[in-house]
């Protein structure tokens, strides 16, 4: 049993210990020394039993007051310590975000990624949103819904890679899946999933069994689709003109719309941009020669109907833009096949430093 001690002194002692605690463990030690099972105040409480009732009441009250004061001081000290510990930690872990990056360590952005990001940025600024679909498709999304009838020669034009037949199972019929030959199946997926008005672009990989100087079996496209009640061919032309001029940074870039054929658009057109081929070098601009860069047209009513869109009310346009060719033209990359050879030296030369990306959406010449 502890001897009764002078409470004012005890209080001063304990408060001094609390305020001297320099960190959380020291504060916890001070708390245990005062209020713990064997703490000074707890010991004093235990000694109350030996007093007569009136003395016990008075001393009990006084002890409780000391206890409250100490507990309060501990809480206050705790909050102050937490604050200064946080401040210390913030200071220790401070990051100077203005320091230059060390780009060498984190590799390069592939020109295809860079080019697609630029294309996406330009279309997004016009109000398009990005949609995606799978690389592995079925006949319905890649062909049938896009108005390619069974046995239609346009199917052969696509040199499709087919996956091994998938036998009928779980109540699903046998199916032959394929690698999508264009990004147009994303049109179908979007129209099946969303109601008009629709305004999407779909960047992604596409596949055709083709390999020579100007073809690789995997390549990239950016699809565009606009469906509403009033969009017409004039909007299509304006949209693509704006895009091409912004992408190539040539304000007076001429565009030529040549009649063409795609099963899923009517009328259909191929778009050429102005260029020059002087000295065996292609230069983009108003030089009198032409270079094809994309296919487009007004969405065929059969496609709208196959996708559950009322073709008597809705109409719109679609386009499919290659990525590799514009990338080669814009960045002076002479050979298509080098894109996919995974040669680090090539990437070091043609790749882009992260955070060093030209901002295509800020206007011409930027
Ligand atoms: N899907 C076509 C192709 O890959 C391009 C295209 C898309 C044409 C949309 C018209 C409309 O050749």
């Amino acid at each position: 049993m502890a001897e009764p001690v002078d409470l004012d002194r005890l209080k001063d002692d304990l408060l001094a210990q609390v305020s001297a605690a320099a960190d959380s463990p020291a504060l916890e030690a001070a708390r245990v020394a005062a209020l713990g099972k064997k703490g000074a105040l707890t010991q004093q409480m235990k000694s109350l039993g030996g007093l007569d009732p009136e003395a016990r009441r008075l001393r009990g009250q006084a002890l409780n007051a000391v206890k409250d004061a100490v507990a309060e001081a501990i809480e206050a000290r705790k909050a102050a310590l937490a604050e200064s510990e946080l401040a210390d930690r913030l200071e220790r872990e401070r990051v100077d975000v203005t320091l230059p990056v060390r780009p060498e360590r984190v590799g390069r952005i592939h020109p295809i990624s860079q080019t697609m990001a630029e294309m996406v940025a330009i279309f997004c600024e016009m109000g398009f949103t990005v949609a995606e679909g799978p690389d592995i498709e079925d006949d319905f999304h890649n062909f049938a819904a896009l108005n390619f009838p069974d046995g239609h020669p346009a199917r052969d034009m696509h040199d499709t890679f087919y996956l091994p037949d998938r036998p009928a199972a779980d109540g699903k019929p046998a199916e032959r899946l394929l690698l999508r030959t264009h990004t147009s199946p994303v049109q179908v997926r979007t129209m099946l999933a969303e109601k008009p008005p629709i305004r999407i672009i779909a960047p992604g990989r596409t596949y055709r069994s083709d390999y020579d100087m100007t073809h690789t079996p995997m390549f990239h496209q950016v699809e565009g689709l606009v469906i509403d009640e009033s969009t017409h061919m004039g909007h299509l032309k304006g949209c693509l003109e704006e895009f091409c001029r912004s992408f190539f940074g040539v304000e007076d870039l001429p565009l030529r719309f040549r009649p063409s054929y795609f099963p899923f658009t009517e009328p259909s057109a191929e778009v050429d941009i102005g260029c020059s081929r002087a000295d065996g070098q292609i230069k983009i601009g108003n030089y009198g020669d032409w270079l094809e860069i994309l296919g487009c047209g007004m969405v065929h009513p059969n496609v709208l109907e196959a996708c559950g869109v009322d073709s008597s009310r809705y109409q719109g346009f679609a386009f499919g833009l290659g990525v590799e060719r514009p990338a080669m033209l814009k960045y002076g990359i002479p050979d298509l096949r080098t894109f996919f050879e995974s040669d680090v030296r090539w990437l070091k030369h043609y790749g882009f430093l992260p955070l060093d990306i030209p901002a295509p959406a800020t206007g011409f010449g930027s």
Side-chain angles (χ1 to χ4, degrees), residues 146 158 181-184 187 206 208 219 221 223-224 262 264-265 268-269 294-297 317-321:
L146 290 165
H158 277 211
T181 57
H182 49 178
T183 41
S184 301
Q187 290 187 35
T206 50
R208 292 184 201 178
F219 57 102
Q221 292 187 335
E223 191 82 9
F262 302 101
F264 37 93
T265 45
S268 304
L294 63 91
C296 64
F317 65 73
F319 58 83
L321 169 72

Side-chain angles (χ1 to χ4, degrees), residues 227-254:
I227 301 291
D228 58 26
E229 295 187 31
S230 58
T231 287
H232 54 67
M233 196 88 184
H235 296 125
L236 169 59
K237 291 183 75 174
C239 171
L240 292 176
E241 245 167 49
E242 169 99 13
F243 168 78
C244 290
R245 289 173 184 171
S246 172
F247 177 80
F248 288 106
V250 179
E251 222 161 329
D252 62 346
L253 183 64

Side-chain angles (χ1 to χ4, degrees), residues 7 57-67:
L7 286 187
R57 193 178 66 79
L58 288 174
R59 186 148 175 100
Q61 273 176 0
L63 267 171
N64 273 331
V66 174
K67 212 171 143 184

